[in-house]
Amino acid sequence: MEGAYNSRTPEEVFRDFRARRAGIVKALTTEVERFYGLCDPEKENLCLYGLPNETWEVNLPAEEVPPELPEPVLGINFARDGMDEKDWIALVAVHSDAWLLAVAFYFGARFGFDKESRRRLFNMINNLPTIYEVVTGTAKKPTKEKTPNSSSKSNKSAPKPQPPRHGELHTKPVPVPKLKEEDESGDEENGEEREEEQGSALCGSCGTNYGTDEFWICCDVCERWFHGKCVKITPARAEHIKQYKCPDCSSKRARGA
């Protein structure tokens, strides 16, 4: 399948990167129970692969030498029972981030990207949080450079999410990071910053940015936000949920019971 890959531009390589990344994010978040079960330490060296169709698989490394693409780290299953599960997942996430970069820049070399094309590719990749950041929850607190002269035309032209009604906190729009106490809440500049930061909120499942036309839901346990479609929750169903727990938190609670 990889041999039929014919991308020639940084944008096409980035789409491949983003799709493989989405698959791995699923494996380490919403589908972590299945991933955990497949990584049996009694089996041979196993690798976690992100696939171009936004899915993932745990499999043995390719037999051909050299392989068509750089290989993920070998033997992720061996450490599964010898580490705290959370630390093990974070370690797999770090190695997966390194593998995704290796694959992207392998394509860059293979297709003869010049300096400017490599820069474009890296900039697009760098605008996404790492898988490690998504898995550990640090992606929900992005740092934002101050741009006093920037405008928020795109946000101002789009419909503004409405505040939640009392008792329906799980259906509220994705929140912006808290501002420092000394900031004035009524200040126009702060209002623009909120709009910009709201646009940088990230889904705890697929890791993509918040959009005003999408339904999101917040886990009341880990306080991560998710696309409703990623966790299979509709706005109508959310209306009847008093306390929402994401798949990851629900599975952890089940294991600890």
Side-chain angles (χ1 to χ4, degrees), residues 160-201:
K160 300 297 188 299
Q162 296 299 314
R165 289 175 287 174
H166 180 67
E168 296 181 351
L169 296 180
H170 55 276
T171 61
K172 62 187 176 182
V174 180
V176 300
K178 292 182 180 180
L179 298 177
K180 295 180 180 179
E181 294 182 359
E182 62 267 26
D183 290 342
E184 294 296 329
S185 60
D187 189 274
E188 181 179 353
E189 181 177 327
N190 287 342
E192 292 184 356
E193 287 185 0
R194 289 193 184 92
E195 290 178 354
E196 292 173 0
E197 289 174 333
Q198 189 173 52
S200 65

Side-chain angles (χ1 to χ4, degrees), residues 65-140:
V65 179
E68 174 65 20
L69 292 179
E71 291 287 358
V73 65
L74 297 175
I76 58 172
N77 50 313
F78 295 149
R80 191 195 73 176
D81 294 344
M83 298 177 63
D84 177 80
E85 181 181 341
K86 186 176 180 181
D87 293 338
W88 175 68
I89 293 294
L91 181 63
V92 174
V94 169
H95 284 294
S96 297
D97 281 318
W99 176 68
L100 287 174
L101 285 174
V103 171
F105 280 87
Y106 166 83
F107 283 133
R110 176 178 171 183
F111 302 139
F113 287 178
D114 58 17
K115 181 178 180 180
E116 181 56 33
S117 294
R118 293 195 303 271
R119 180 182 290 116
R120 280 164 52 202
L121 174 59
F122 180 79
N123 285 342
M124 287 185 286
I125 290 173
N126 203 38
N127 282 333
L128 292 175
T130 63
I131 297 174
Y132 175 82
E133 289 173 327
V134 173
V135 167
T136 58
T138 56
K140 68 180 181 179

